[in-house]
Amino acid sequence: MSTLNGLIIGASGYTGAELAAYLQRHPNVNITGLMVSAQSHDAGKRLSDLHPVLKGIIDLPLQPMTDDIAALAQGVDVVFLATAHEVSHDLAPQFLAAGCAVFDLSGAYRVNQSDFYQKYYGFAHQHADWLDKAVYGLAEWRAEDIRTAQLIAVPGCYPTASQLALKPLIESDLLDLNQWPVINAVSGVSGAGRKASMTTSFCEVSLQPYGVFTHRHQPEISAHLGAQVIFTPHLGNFPRGILATITCRLKTGVTAERVAEAFARAYDGKPLVRLFGREMPSIRAVAGTPFCDIGFALQDDHLIVVAAEDNLLKGAAAQAVQCMNIRFGFDETQSLF
Ligand SMILES: NC(=O)C1=CN([C@@H]2O[C@H](COP(=O)(O)OP(=O)(O)OC[C@H]3O[C@@H](n4cnc5c(N)ncnc54)[C@H](OP(=O)(O)O)[C@@H]3O)[C@@H](O)[C@H]2O)C=CC1
Ligand SMILES: CC(=O)N[C@@H](CCC(=O)OP(=O)(O)O)C(=O)O
């Protein structure tokens, strides 16, 4: 099988470093560059200077970005954008024009709705054509479209866990959606990225909800589920992982067996979703892994579904590599575990 030349933009960040680790051990990928911003203080350092866990594994240098994207893209087959939304918004079309396949981990190409970017991201989207063509990389559900896409918008961390939990129930028509599913999710601090900020500093972090009724992942989840939800994210005082506890109402008479069947049907042959039945998933079981674990319990018509994943992996880097594997016909889990 052929070898792809791969470039990671934003390689020093939390998701960028995870991508680098996956691609380094991928037999069909050759990393051609680990890029940071033109003005980065980390340019010239080795990735392993910043992430010592990679010492002796990836000692490649971090290189500053250049404005000449066409030159940077020369000979590159796949580009991973592990960059802020605005940066991805600007860079993706340039790499796409150079013929690269682009896997964007940001939110810049996830939701094709007018006003969405102005309202939730604070910028007017300038690339409606690519927004139209982008395929949403919820890998277990969009594999057919991913196979032919040039731009894959990898879903957000909370939306991945939430949709993997809810989609089988909605597709099987088991939910009474007059009661909006209520998603309460807790994320580790790495969800906010590596840069220093007061809200993520050690002494400030305390279990607390944020973005109540205003978080951009609510419309992302609703748009792709085709159903309204209430979504409340929480910041937890641990480094990585997301646990989403989702309360919903079943249609009258739906049994636990039918719920279990819906999950089993949806994820048969999908090794990155692990079904726990009535056992409850935990962050401990998924941190550092590419899996999303799902369990559930019900009482009468009330259903609680719990999904856990590593926000940096199934919620970002692992799903991006899973999408690349699907796109290029490699084994879906190649290099992921
Ligand atoms: N963290 C998470 O759990 C998840 C994150 N995401 C999304 O993935 C993307 C990356 O997130 P994360 O890894 O957490 O972010 P980080 O803040 O940890 O890393 C951002 C990276 O981008 C680099 N960078 C900044 N500006 C530029 C630029 N103009 N050109 C090239 N590189 C640049 C930074 O290096 P430097 O500043 O030194 O240049 C750094 O390497 C974001 O869009 C985020 O929303 C998605 C799902 C989950
Ligand atoms: C804890 C924390 O701050 N998490 C981030 C979500 C990270 C993520 O999924 O990234 P996208 O923005 O690419 O969707 C937040 O709530 O903004």
Side-chain angles (χ1 to χ4, degrees):
M1 222 173 249
S2 60
T3 299
L4 303 173
N5 285 326
L7 187 64
I8 303 173
I9 317 289
S12 68
Y14 285 148
T15 62
E18 296 292 352
L19 281 169
Y22 282 139
L23 297 188
Q24 177 72 11
R25 64 178 196 240
H26 199 297
N28 305 100
V29 180
N30 167 44
I31 298 178
T32 59
L34 299 177
M35 312 305 292
V36 288
S37 62
Q39 62 283 353
S40 175
H41 296 306
D42 295 323
K45 294 179 190 166
R46 287 174 296 206
L47 180 64
S48 53
D49 293 335
L50 271 59
H51 298 276
V53 69
L54 297 175
K55 200 159 180 57
I57 300 171
I58 316 176
D59 296 316
L60 294 171
L62 295 163
Q63 297 167 248
M65 280 297 280
T66 139
D67 285 340
D68 191 351
I69 301 299
L72 187 59
Q74 199 87 45
V76 171
D77 304 293
V78 293
V79 176
F80 290 85
L81 299 176
T83 41
H85 317 294
E86 296 85 342
V87 176
S88 289
H89 168 271
D90 294 349
L91 287 178
Q94 299 181 63
F95 283 109
L96 290 161
C100 306
V102 172
F103 297 83
D104 178 22
L105 278 70
S106 88
Y109 291 89
R110 289 183 196 147
V111 178
N112 191 3
Q113 281 174 1
S114 64
D115 288 351
F116 173 80
Y117 284 94
Q118 193 63 64
K119 185 166 173 194
Y120 289 99
Y121 286 78
F123 64 86
H125 210 287
Q126 306 292 328
H127 303 292
D129 49 344
W130 281 114
L131 197 50
D132 243 5
K133 286 186 210 147
V135 167
Y136 190 63
L138 190 66
E140 279 70 20
W141 291 90
R142 298 296 302 275
E144 214 171 301
D145 297 324
I146 290 168
R147 276 188 200 103
T148 55
Q150 198 190 344
L151 171 58
I152 286 124
V154 182
C157 48
Y158 291 116
T160 295
S162 304
Q163 291 175 85
L164 289 177
L166 282 170
K167 224 167 155 55
L169 303 167
I170 292 176
E171 297 290 315
S172 299
D173 201 21
L174 300 185
L175 295 188
D176 176 354
L177 291 170
N178 292 315
Q179 179 179 306
W180 295 7
V182 175
I183 304 164
N184 283 309
V186 188
S187 170
V189 184
S190 60
R194 185 166 177 271
K195 65 199 163 309
S197 96
M198 184 59 86
T199 46
T200 57
S201 82
F202 183 76
C203 290
E204 298 293 325
V205 170
S206 172
L207 180 58
Q208 190 178 29
Y210 65 100
V212 178
F213 285 125
T214 60
H215 198 281
R216 65 191 183 286
H217 286 172
Q218 189 280 337
E220 180 183 329
I221 295 166
S222 283
H224 289 285
L225 270 183
Q228 284 299 339
V229 296
I230 290 176
F231 167 65
T232 312
H234 299 66
L235 187 65
N237 60 351
F238 50 92
R240 59 197 293 167
I242 281 183
L243 188 88
T245 300
I246 308 175
T247 306
C248 33
R249 183 177 277 267
L250 292 165
K251 287 189 166 165
T252 307
V254 172
T255 58
E257 287 66 34
R258 284 183 65 195
V259 172
E261 270 166 32
F263 281 120
R265 203 168 39 244
Y267 297 124
D268 181 36
K270 311 280 183 201
L272 298 188
V273 178
R274 302 189 298 192
L275 298 178
F276 275 45
R278 290 171 204 208
E279 264 176 64
M280 289 293 123
S282 67
I283 282 177
R284 190 157 76 122
V286 290
T289 83
F291 302 112
C292 177
D293 290 350
I294 298 176
F296 72 89
L298 61 78
Q299 181 176 288
D300 303 322
D301 293 344
H302 302 289
L303 174 68
I304 292 180
V305 190
V306 178
E309 67 176 17
D310 187 318
N311 53 297
L312 298 176
L313 300 180
K314 182 59 175 159
Q319 183 146 250
V321 173
Q322 184 184 7
C323 287
M324 180 196 72
N325 286 335
I326 292 170
R327 169 66 179 74
F328 289 95
F330 308 135
D331 184 296
E332 187 170 331
T333 61
Q334 180 64 57
S335 99
L336 295 179
F337 64 89

mmCIF file of all heavy atoms in Angstrom, residues 9-15 36-37 40 42 65 82-85 87 105-106 110 157 190-191 193-195 311-312 315-316, ligand 1:
data_model
loop_
_atom_site.group_PDB
_atom_site.id
_atom_site.type_symbol
_atom_site.label_atom_id
_atom_site.label_comp_id
_atom_site.label_asym_id
_atom_site.label_seq_id
_atom_site.Cartn_x
_atom_site.Cartn_y
_atom_site.Cartn_z
ATOM 1 N N ILE A 9 -0.188 20.849 11.289
ATOM 2 C CA ILE A 9 -0.121 22.269 11.630
ATOM 3 C C ILE A 9 -0.686 22.410 13.048
ATOM 4 O O ILE A 9 -1.783 21.912 13.322
ATOM 5 C CB ILE A 9 -0.962 23.143 10.664
ATOM 6 C CG1 ILE A 9 -0.775 22.694 9.209
ATOM 7 C CG2 ILE A 9 -0.635 24.623 10.851
ATOM 8 C CD1 ILE A 9 0.551 22.995 8.595
ATOM 9 N N GLY A 10 0.071 23.088 13.903
ATOM 10 C CA GLY A 10 -0.339 23.156 15.319
ATOM 11 C C GLY A 10 0.176 21.940 16.080
ATOM 12 O O GLY A 10 -0.462 21.462 17.014
ATOM 13 N N ALA A 11 1.353 21.457 15.675
ATOM 14 C CA ALA A 11 1.853 20.175 16.189
ATOM 15 C C ALA A 11 2.274 20.219 17.648
ATOM 16 O O ALA A 11 2.346 19.182 18.299
ATOM 17 C CB ALA A 11 3.026 19.712 15.328
ATOM 18 N N SER A 12 2.543 21.404 18.185
ATOM 19 C CA SER A 12 3.007 21.466 19.581
ATOM 20 C C SER A 12 1.852 21.459 20.572
ATOM 21 O O SER A 12 2.059 21.332 21.774
ATOM 22 C CB SER A 12 3.840 22.731 19.804
ATOM 23 O OG SER A 12 3.010 23.883 19.712
ATOM 24 N N GLY A 13 0.624 21.622 20.092
ATOM 25 C CA GLY A 13 -0.533 21.669 20.993
ATOM 26 C C GLY A 13 -0.896 20.270 21.472
ATOM 27 O O GLY A 13 -0.271 19.274 21.111
ATOM 28 N N TYR A 14 -1.930 20.218 22.285
ATOM 29 C CA TYR A 14 -2.308 18.927 22.880
ATOM 30 C C TYR A 14 -2.778 17.927 21.831
ATOM 31 O O TYR A 14 -2.392 16.765 21.852
ATOM 32 C CB TYR A 14 -3.409 19.135 23.917
ATOM 33 C CG TYR A 14 -2.921 19.725 25.218
ATOM 34 C CD1 TYR A 14 -3.742 20.557 25.966
ATOM 35 C CD2 TYR A 14 -1.653 19.428 25.712
ATOM 36 C CE1 TYR A 14 -3.313 21.092 27.173
ATOM 37 C CE2 TYR A 14 -1.215 19.960 26.905
ATOM 38 C CZ TYR A 14 -2.044 20.791 27.640
ATOM 39 O OH TYR A 14 -1.621 21.313 28.825
ATOM 40 N N THR A 15 -3.648 18.375 20.915
ATOM 41 C CA THR A 15 -4.121 17.408 19.911
ATOM 42 C C THR A 15 -3.049 17.174 18.845
ATOM 43 O O THR A 15 -2.925 16.065 18.320
ATOM 44 C CB THR A 15 -5.435 17.874 19.241
ATOM 45 O OG1 THR A 15 -5.197 19.111 18.563
ATOM 46 C CG2 THR A 15 -6.548 18.060 20.257
ATOM 47 N N VAL A 36 4.363 25.084 13.690
ATOM 48 C CA VAL A 36 3.762 25.989 14.677
ATOM 49 C C VAL A 36 3.645 27.360 13.997
ATOM 50 O O VAL A 36 4.055 27.524 12.843
ATOM 51 C CB VAL A 36 4.615 26.062 15.971
ATOM 52 C CG1 VAL A 36 4.505 24.764 16.766
ATOM 53 C CG2 VAL A 36 6.081 26.371 15.656
ATOM 54 N N SER A 37 3.106 28.346 14.710
ATOM 55 C CA SER A 37 2.902 29.648 14.067
ATOM 56 C C SER A 37 4.240 30.306 13.729
ATOM 57 O O SER A 37 5.271 29.973 14.325
ATOM 58 C CB SER A 37 2.082 30.561 14.977
ATOM 59 O OG SER A 37 2.785 30.788 16.178
ATOM 60 N N SER A 40 5.943 31.646 16.739
ATOM 61 C CA SER A 40 5.946 30.775 17.929
ATOM 62 C C SER A 40 7.276 30.802 18.676
ATOM 63 O O SER A 40 8.353 30.712 18.077
ATOM 64 C CB SER A 40 5.660 29.338 17.502
ATOM 65 O OG SER A 40 5.775 28.478 18.608
ATOM 66 N N ASP A 42 8.188 28.390 20.318
ATOM 67 C CA ASP A 42 8.650 27.006 20.317
ATOM 68 C C ASP A 42 9.285 26.575 18.999
ATOM 69 O O ASP A 42 9.775 25.446 18.896
ATOM 70 C CB ASP A 42 7.466 26.074 20.652
ATOM 71 C CG ASP A 42 6.956 26.303 22.062
ATOM 72 O OD1 ASP A 42 7.798 26.548 22.949
ATOM 73 O OD2 ASP A 42 5.735 26.264 22.274
ATOM 74 N N MET A 65 5.567 28.421 10.603
ATOM 75 C CA MET A 65 4.770 28.499 9.369
ATOM 76 C C MET A 65 5.356 29.540 8.429
ATOM 77 O O MET A 65 5.962 30.513 8.861
ATOM 78 C CB MET A 65 3.332 28.919 9.681
ATOM 79 C CG MET A 65 2.446 27.821 10.184
ATOM 80 S SD MET A 65 2.192 26.495 8.991
ATOM 81 C CE MET A 65 0.951 27.222 7.943
ATOM 82 N N ALA A 82 -4.472 21.171 13.458
ATOM 83 C CA ALA A 82 -4.760 21.112 14.902
ATOM 84 C C ALA A 82 -4.620 22.526 15.448
ATOM 85 O O ALA A 82 -3.861 22.782 16.386
ATOM 86 C CB ALA A 82 -3.801 20.144 15.582
ATOM 87 N N THR A 83 -5.344 23.418 14.829
ATOM 88 C CA THR A 83 -5.199 24.859 15.081
ATOM 89 C C THR A 83 -6.536 25.473 15.493
ATOM 90 O O THR A 83 -7.598 24.869 15.312
ATOM 91 C CB THR A 83 -4.712 25.554 13.790
ATOM 92 O OG1 THR A 83 -5.401 24.988 12.669
ATOM 93 C CG2 THR A 83 -3.226 25.374 13.587
ATOM 94 N N ALA A 84 -6.465 26.698 15.989
ATOM 95 C CA ALA A 84 -7.669 27.425 16.386
ATOM 96 C C ALA A 84 -8.605 27.579 15.183
ATOM 97 O O ALA A 84 -8.161 27.554 14.024
ATOM 98 C CB ALA A 84 -7.272 28.793 16.937
ATOM 99 N N HIS A 85 -9.884 27.785 15.473
ATOM 100 C CA HIS A 85 -10.909 27.826 14.419
ATOM 101 C C HIS A 85 -10.568 28.837 13.309
ATOM 102 O O HIS A 85 -10.651 28.517 12.128
ATOM 103 C CB HIS A 85 -12.272 28.172 15.020
ATOM 104 C CG HIS A 85 -12.543 27.446 16.307
ATOM 105 N ND1 HIS A 85 -12.699 26.081 16.371
ATOM 106 C CD2 HIS A 85 -12.645 27.889 17.585
ATOM 107 C CE1 HIS A 85 -12.902 25.711 17.621
ATOM 108 N NE2 HIS A 85 -12.867 26.796 18.377
ATOM 109 N N VAL A 87 -7.722 30.079 12.461
ATOM 110 C CA VAL A 87 -6.513 29.692 11.716
ATOM 111 C C VAL A 87 -6.884 28.603 10.697
ATOM 112 O O VAL A 87 -6.534 28.676 9.512
ATOM 113 C CB VAL A 87 -5.408 29.204 12.687
ATOM 114 C CG1 VAL A 87 -4.189 28.708 11.924
ATOM 115 C CG2 VAL A 87 -5.034 30.318 13.660
ATOM 116 N N LEU A 105 -9.268 19.677 12.751
ATOM 117 C CA LEU A 105 -9.757 19.341 14.089
ATOM 118 C C LEU A 105 -10.544 20.485 14.717
ATOM 119 O O LEU A 105 -11.172 20.314 15.761
ATOM 120 C CB LEU A 105 -8.583 18.955 15.011
ATOM 121 C CG LEU A 105 -8.099 17.513 14.866
ATOM 122 C CD1 LEU A 105 -7.401 17.276 13.544
ATOM 123 C CD2 LEU A 105 -7.198 17.118 16.012
ATOM 124 N N SER A 106 -10.529 21.641 14.102
ATOM 125 C CA SER A 106 -11.244 22.791 14.672
ATOM 126 C C SER A 106 -12.711 22.751 14.268
ATOM 127 O O SER A 106 -13.161 21.860 13.548
ATOM 128 C CB SER A 106 -10.620 24.093 14.168
ATOM 129 O OG SER A 106 -11.220 24.496 12.950
ATOM 130 N N ARG A 110 -17.557 22.649 10.429
ATOM 131 C CA ARG A 110 -18.446 21.586 10.920
ATOM 132 C C ARG A 110 -19.929 21.806 10.671
ATOM 133 O O ARG A 110 -20.681 20.843 10.563
ATOM 134 C CB ARG A 110 -18.268 21.423 12.440
ATOM 135 C CG ARG A 110 -16.972 20.816 12.855
ATOM 136 C CD ARG A 110 -16.964 20.643 14.357
ATOM 137 N NE ARG A 110 -15.621 20.415 14.846
ATOM 138 C CZ ARG A 110 -15.186 20.833 16.022
ATOM 139 N NH1 ARG A 110 -15.982 21.519 16.833
ATOM 140 N NH2 ARG A 110 -13.958 20.575 16.397
ATOM 141 N N CYS A 157 -15.129 17.546 20.669
ATOM 142 C CA CYS A 157 -14.998 16.462 21.656
ATOM 143 C C CYS A 157 -16.341 16.127 22.304
ATOM 144 O O CYS A 157 -16.763 14.969 22.312
ATOM 145 C CB CYS A 157 -13.954 16.821 22.697
ATOM 146 S SG CYS A 157 -14.127 18.476 23.390
ATOM 147 N N SER A 190 -7.493 19.660 29.540
ATOM 148 C CA SER A 190 -6.806 19.686 28.239
ATOM 149 C C SER A 190 -7.770 20.050 27.108
ATOM 150 O O SER A 190 -7.325 20.436 26.025
ATOM 151 C CB SER A 190 -6.142 18.337 27.942
ATOM 152 O OG SER A 190 -7.136 17.324 27.916
ATOM 153 N N GLY A 191 -9.065 19.958 27.359
ATOM 154 C CA GLY A 191 -10.057 20.359 26.366
ATOM 155 C C GLY A 191 -9.919 21.818 25.969
ATOM 156 O O GLY A 191 -10.348 22.220 24.883
ATOM 157 N N GLY A 193 -7.065 23.349 25.521
ATOM 158 C CA GLY A 193 -5.811 23.599 24.809
ATOM 159 C C GLY A 193 -4.661 23.894 25.761
ATOM 160 O O GLY A 193 -4.849 24.021 26.979
ATOM 161 N N ARG A 194 -3.455 24.031 25.179
ATOM 162 C CA ARG A 194 -2.223 24.077 25.967
ATOM 163 C C ARG A 194 -1.835 25.469 26.441
ATOM 164 O O ARG A 194 -1.065 25.622 27.384
ATOM 165 C CB ARG A 194 -1.101 23.487 25.095
ATOM 166 C CG ARG A 194 0.219 23.345 25.791
ATOM 167 C CD ARG A 194 1.153 22.464 24.995
ATOM 168 N NE ARG A 194 2.448 22.384 25.655
ATOM 169 C CZ ARG A 194 3.443 23.229 25.437
ATOM 170 N NH1 ARG A 194 3.297 24.198 24.551
ATOM 171 N NH2 ARG A 194 4.591 23.103 26.081
ATOM 172 N N LYS A 195 -2.388 26.487 25.748
ATOM 173 C CA LYS A 195 -1.933 27.842 26.092
ATOM 174 C C LYS A 195 -2.388 28.221 27.511
ATOM 175 O O LYS A 195 -3.442 27.768 27.976
ATOM 176 C CB LYS A 195 -2.445 28.857 25.061
ATOM 177 C CG LYS A 195 -3.926 28.981 25.049
ATOM 178 C CD LYS A 195 -4.446 29.592 23.769
ATOM 179 C CE LYS A 195 -5.936 29.321 23.616
ATOM 180 N NZ LYS A 195 -6.332 27.902 23.770
ATOM 181 N N ASN A 311 -10.987 13.218 25.393
ATOM 182 C CA ASN A 311 -11.280 14.385 24.528
ATOM 183 C C ASN A 311 -10.195 14.601 23.486
ATOM 184 O O ASN A 311 -10.481 15.061 22.371
ATOM 185 C CB ASN A 311 -11.447 15.657 25.377
ATOM 186 C CG ASN A 311 -10.278 15.910 26.301
ATOM 187 O OD1 ASN A 311 -10.016 15.101 27.189
ATOM 188 N ND2 ASN A 311 -9.565 17.008 26.096
ATOM 189 N N LEU A 312 -8.945 14.273 23.813
ATOM 190 C CA LEU A 312 -7.852 14.510 22.858
ATOM 191 C C LEU A 312 -7.750 13.397 21.821
ATOM 192 O O LEU A 312 -7.093 13.564 20.793
ATOM 193 C CB LEU A 312 -6.512 14.610 23.597
ATOM 194 C CG LEU A 312 -6.383 15.766 24.594
ATOM 195 C CD1 LEU A 312 -5.044 15.688 25.329
ATOM 196 C CD2 LEU A 312 -6.514 17.116 23.887
ATOM 197 N N GLY A 315 -12.133 12.114 20.879
ATOM 198 C CA GLY A 315 -12.714 13.448 20.727
ATOM 199 C C GLY A 315 -11.922 14.356 19.808
ATOM 200 O O GLY A 315 -12.329 15.500 19.575
ATOM 201 N N ALA A 316 -10.806 13.906 19.254
ATOM 202 C CA ALA A 316 -10.009 14.770 18.363
ATOM 203 C C ALA A 316 -9.035 13.930 17.515
ATOM 204 O O ALA A 316 -9.388 13.508 16.409
ATOM 205 C CB ALA A 316 -9.267 15.840 19.168
HETATM 206 N N1 LIG B 1 -8.210 20.048 23.181
HETATM 207 C C1 LIG B 1 -9.255 19.302 22.856
HETATM 208 O O1 LIG B 1 -9.735 18.473 23.647
HETATM 209 C C2 LIG B 1 -9.892 19.427 21.521
HETATM 210 C C3 LIG B 1 -9.529 20.410 20.632
HETATM 211 N N2 LIG B 1 -10.166 20.512 19.421
HETATM 212 C C4 LIG B 1 -9.805 21.573 18.485
HETATM 213 O O2 LIG B 1 -8.537 21.260 17.911
HETATM 214 C C5 LIG B 1 -7.786 22.438 17.676
HETATM 215 C C6 LIG B 1 -6.466 22.342 18.431
HETATM 216 O O3 LIG B 1 -6.746 22.220 19.805
HETATM 217 P P1 LIG B 1 -5.596 22.031 20.890
HETATM 218 O O4 LIG B 1 -4.620 21.023 20.436
HETATM 219 O O5 LIG B 1 -6.300 21.813 22.177
HETATM 220 O O6 LIG B 1 -4.921 23.484 20.880
HETATM 221 P P2 LIG B 1 -3.561 23.999 21.542
HETATM 222 O O7 LIG B 1 -3.820 25.374 21.996
HETATM 223 O O8 LIG B 1 -3.070 23.002 22.540
HETATM 224 O O9 LIG B 1 -2.545 24.019 20.305
HETATM 225 C C7 LIG B 1 -2.659 24.912 19.226
HETATM 226 C C8 LIG B 1 -1.478 24.724 18.305
HETATM 227 O O10 LIG B 1 -1.584 25.630 17.200
HETATM 228 C C9 LIG B 1 -0.340 26.350 17.055
HETATM 229 N N3 LIG B 1 -0.664 27.605 16.381
HETATM 230 C C10 LIG B 1 -1.214 28.733 16.886
HETATM 231 N N4 LIG B 1 -1.399 29.647 15.910
HETATM 232 C C11 LIG B 1 -0.976 29.076 14.753
HETATM 233 C C12 LIG B 1 -0.882 29.517 13.399
HETATM 234 N N5 LIG B 1 -1.302 30.722 13.040
HETATM 235 N N6 LIG B 1 -0.366 28.666 12.496
HETATM 236 C C13 LIG B 1 0.075 27.451 12.831
HETATM 237 N N7 LIG B 1 0.023 26.975 14.108
HETATM 238 C C14 LIG B 1 -0.499 27.776 15.041
HETATM 239 C C15 LIG B 1 0.160 26.441 18.488
HETATM 240 O O11 LIG B 1 1.541 26.701 18.595
HETATM 241 P P3 LIG B 1 2.126 28.202 18.744
HETATM 242 O O12 LIG B 1 1.107 29.016 19.495
HETATM 243 O O13 LIG B 1 3.411 28.022 19.511
HETATM 244 O O14 LIG B 1 2.334 28.684 17.366
HETATM 245 C C16 LIG B 1 -0.135 25.002 18.932
HETATM 246 O O15 LIG B 1 0.819 24.124 18.366
HETATM 247 C C17 LIG B 1 -8.685 23.611 18.130
HETATM 248 O O16 LIG B 1 -9.412 24.100 17.046
HETATM 249 C C18 LIG B 1 -9.631 22.948 19.124
HETATM 250 O O17 LIG B 1 -10.850 23.636 19.202
HETATM 251 C C19 LIG B 1 -11.114 19.617 19.036
HETATM 252 C C20 LIG B 1 -11.493 18.601 19.859
HETATM 253 C C21 LIG B 1 -10.922 18.436 21.185
#
